[in-house]
Amino acid sequence: MADPMRIRAQAAGDKVTVRVLMSHEMETGQRKDAAGKTIPAWFIQDVSATLNGKPVMAAQWGPSVSKNPFLQFVVKGGKAGDKLAVTWKDNKGETRTDEATVS
């Protein structure tokens, strides 16, 4: 399983700024190894976030996103103490969900 995501969620007024650093190799399927064989594609396809169980963000990614991607977004209506969960799923079917508390 992949390393945990580093999630920081900070409230300012009625907005919450969310920063997420995901740990993933993100192979495009176009690079070759030392033997000249193509390295199979392996990348995050779907990313979603919920705030107190309510969906607040969804994204679909492709192979052009960099290794260990960073994502930042703003959610209206959040406050300190709320629970934020971020989930990703890659093209091999692996998923990861991590949670943070808004500060």
Side-chain angles (χ1 to χ4, degrees):
M1 172 148 285
D3 292 334
M5 290 180 264
R6 296 181 64 190
I7 303 172
R8 176 174 283 166
Q10 294 178 308
D14 70 335
K15 295 181 183 177
V16 175
T17 301
V18 180
R19 294 176 181 91
V20 184
L21 183 60
M22 302 172 200
S23 178
H24 198 283
E25 290 298 313
M26 302 294 285
E27 284 293 341
T28 65
Q30 297 178 352
R31 291 185 335 124
K32 296 185 186 219
D33 63 13
K37 290 186 175 183
T38 302
I39 299 170
W42 183 38
F43 55 91
I44 294 173
Q45 286 184 314
D46 298 308
V47 180
S48 61
T50 61
L51 186 66
N52 296 325
K54 177 184 170 188
V56 292
M57 191 277 304
Q60 294 180 338
W61 288 355
S64 64
V65 176
S66 69
K67 177 179 178 177
N68 300 326
F70 174 78
L71 173 67
Q72 179 175 319
F73 58 95
V74 176
V75 178
K76 287 185 178 181
K79 62 186 179 309
D82 286 352
K83 297 288 183 190
L84 177 86
V86 178
T87 302
W88 59 253
K89 181 178 180 182
D90 68 20
N91 65 319
K92 290 185 178 180
E94 291 184 42
T95 62
R96 174 97 198 174
T97 301
D98 288 299
E99 295 181 353
T101 302
V102 177
S103 60

